[in-house]
Amino acid sequence: MKHEIHLYWRFTRYDISATVIPGVAFALAAWHQGQPNWAALPGLIGWGVVYFWLYSVCFCISNQLAGESEDRLNKPDRPLISGLVSRQGAMVRWIIFMALFTLVGWYLGVLEWTLLWQITLTLHNFGRFAGHYWGKNLSMVFGAIAQLAAAWQMVRPITPAAWVWLLVPSITLLSNASLQDLRDIDGDRMNGRRTMPIVFGETFTRIFVAIAFGCVALLTHFALFVPAGLNTGTLLLDGIQAGICLVIAGRVLFFRTPAADHVSYIMYTYWYSFLLAAAIVVL
């Protein structure tokens, strides 16, 4: 049991801030809207953690199965490369978790969003969608929509306001997800991938991503916070999310190493989690 827990932590540890935390945060935003049912809160958190951990582990195992040769160069600490699990063992676990994910999605009433993510992650990792920046980034957009729609719908029907909050951060991935490609250029080139830094060059990509983060700060301000009314609380939350975006933009331009780009990408996942946590207050 201890080995299995350690193994799954090694599979998913860099993705928790982009999967479990924002998913549970947006489910809490749905719970908080209207009349919060305090008796239902522990169950919501528990099932939310289970669902979004399955969301994460299904992607991470398949992604690492598909990218083993790249990980030998860029991420030798991952389970397959470090020998913690065999390819066969990882595949068996992936199939089991995909089945469990389907079952939990059906039980929570979010089966359509579960299936959307399963189809998307399979095409991304095994269908070569990750081989081109458009396919990779678009997969992340659909993944975020599936994640956040499930988070809200497991609590209550999705409202028009909730659709705005789940679509705005999701569509930012169409451009901003290219940030993660800056840290993996050598491995992507070795695997023949056509990521934005490889197609357009690193300098162009850095300028593009920096501008994109500036635009995201403005988009979230006008689309999410202004409609809620700019009081002290919303102004503070708005300022923090905008500040994170601008710090990332600066880092992308001035800190140009794979290690620095990894930190910048992790900061992006923190922004994503923070924004969805802010929905608890704003919505």
Side-chain angles (χ1 to χ4, degrees):
M1 178 62 71
K2 184 178 180 180
H3 170 76
E4 290 295 305
I5 293 173
H6 178 64
L7 174 63
Y8 301 135
W9 169 249
R10 291 282 291 274
F11 268 123
T12 62
R13 57 180 171 167
Y14 294 126
D15 292 88
I16 297 298
S17 58
T19 54
V20 178
I21 294 174
V24 173
F26 203 56
L28 288 174
W31 167 84
H32 188 259
Q33 191 180 61
Q35 294 291 329
N37 181 355
W38 288 95
L41 183 58
L44 170 63
I45 294 173
W47 279 111
V49 170
V50 169
Y51 181 85
F52 291 111
W53 182 80
L54 288 168
Y55 173 102
S56 177
V57 78
C58 287
F59 175 82
C60 290
I61 293 177
S62 58
N63 182 252
Q64 292 172 41
L65 280 166
E68 189 173 1
S69 59
E70 176 194 350
D71 288 343
R72 291 188 189 279
L73 177 64
N74 289 333
K75 299 163 184 137
D77 62 327
R78 282 185 163 178
L80 283 165
I81 308 306
S82 61
L84 280 176
V85 67
S86 66
R87 283 190 62 84
Q88 182 180 7
M91 180 61 74
V92 169
R93 286 170 173 83
W94 182 66
I95 292 170
I96 291 172
F97 285 131
M98 287 284 277
L100 285 173
F101 189 35
T102 303
L103 183 62
V104 173
W106 167 78
Y107 176 75
L108 295 175
V110 296
L111 181 60
E112 65 270 40
W113 306 116
T114 305
L115 295 176
L116 174 60
W117 180 227
Q118 289 176 314
I119 293 168
T120 300
L121 71 86
T122 302
L123 291 173
H124 179 275
N125 294 325
F126 298 131
R128 299 298 297 171
F129 274 41
H132 195 280
Y133 66 93
W134 271 108
K136 183 176 184 177
N137 292 9
L138 192 60
S139 295
M140 295 298 97
V141 171
F142 281 112
I145 291 172
Q147 174 194 37
L148 300 181
W152 193 278
Q153 189 170 299
M154 68 175 60
V155 182
R156 64 179 77 250
I158 304 174
T159 62
W163 271 115
V164 174
W165 269 84
L166 73 87
L167 287 174
V168 168
S170 297
I171 62 174
T172 68
L173 288 157
L174 194 60
S175 57
N176 297 45
S178 292
L179 168 61
Q180 66 179 313
D181 297 327
L182 289 166
R183 65 183 181 179
D184 298 328
I185 294 174
D186 291 339
D188 288 336
R189 184 176 285 115
M190 180 183 69
N191 281 298
R193 289 177 180 156
R194 303 282 291 168
T195 63
M196 184 173 282
I198 292 172
V199 174
F200 297 104
E202 183 179 345
T203 298
F204 173 87
T205 302
R206 289 187 182 279
I207 294 171
F208 175 84
V209 169
I211 293 172
F213 272 100
C215 292
V216 164
L218 292 173
L219 175 63
T220 52
H221 169 73
F222 287 108
L224 303 182
F225 289 95
V226 170
L230 295 179
N231 53 48
T232 302
T234 56
L235 278 173
L236 177 61
L237 295 171
D238 188 17
I240 292 173
Q241 70 83 19
I244 297 172
C245 285
L246 295 178
V247 168
I248 296 172
R251 288 183 56 87
V252 169
L253 291 174
F254 298 111
F255 296 90
R256 303 189 174 203
T257 66
D261 291 327
H262 175 70
V263 172
S264 297
Y265 178 71
I266 294 300
M267 288 182 66
Y268 181 30
T269 67
Y270 292 163
W271 170 86
Y272 183 67
S273 296
F274 176 83
L275 184 68
L276 294 166
I280 300 172
V281 177
V282 176
L283 277 174

